[in-house]
Amino acid sequence: MGSKIPEASLGFGNRVDATDYENKPYGTLFCASPSCSAQLSFVKRHDRKYATKTVEIAPCFRLKRNEEHSAKCKYNIGGQLNIIAKSSDSAVFSAIEESKYEFRLHILLKAL
């Protein structure tokens, strides 16, 4: 599971946002979350075509292949879902553990 990350930390500690990095790409990228040191890669600005229109996707960072965010990192979506589930009814969490239920996030192009 992944997410678009708007900001990264360069190897020497400075932070850079995706738009600035797009203009001047340099350095090794890491997750900017305080408790995480996962390596990131850059995704260039690009167009995504849908059925009736084309949308420009802003530049962002994403998790590099074979890397994982730390358990408490805000970009660790699976970890965040576990935190939400743990704070809810114990029956829900046990059902997720037993793979009886699955969380899905759907993005609606046209709401209502």
Side-chain angles (χ1 to χ4, degrees), residues 14-90:
N14 292 349
R15 290 181 173 213
V16 62
D17 71 17
T19 306
D20 292 340
Y21 190 83
E22 180 179 42
N23 296 331
K24 189 177 177 187
Y26 61 92
T28 306
L29 302 166
F30 296 94
C31 183
S33 192
S35 63
C36 188
S37 60
Q39 213 170 353
L40 303 178
S41 61
F42 178 68
V43 180
K44 295 178 182 178
R45 181 182 312 269
H46 61 281
D47 290 339
R48 178 167 289 152
K49 293 183 181 182
Y50 293 102
T52 59
K53 62 182 175 181
T54 300
V55 177
E56 183 181 85
I57 305 298
C60 63
F61 301 104
R62 69 175 170 203
L63 199 56
K64 211 170 193 180
R65 183 170 289 189
N66 299 323
E67 288 282 323
E68 289 187 22
H69 290 288
S70 69
K72 293 186 178 182
C73 179
K74 67 180 181 180
Y75 296 111
N76 181 346
I77 296 171
Q80 295 301 319
L81 289 176
N82 279 337
I83 290 168
I84 292 166
K86 283 180 184 177
S87 66
S88 66
D89 184 2
S90 60

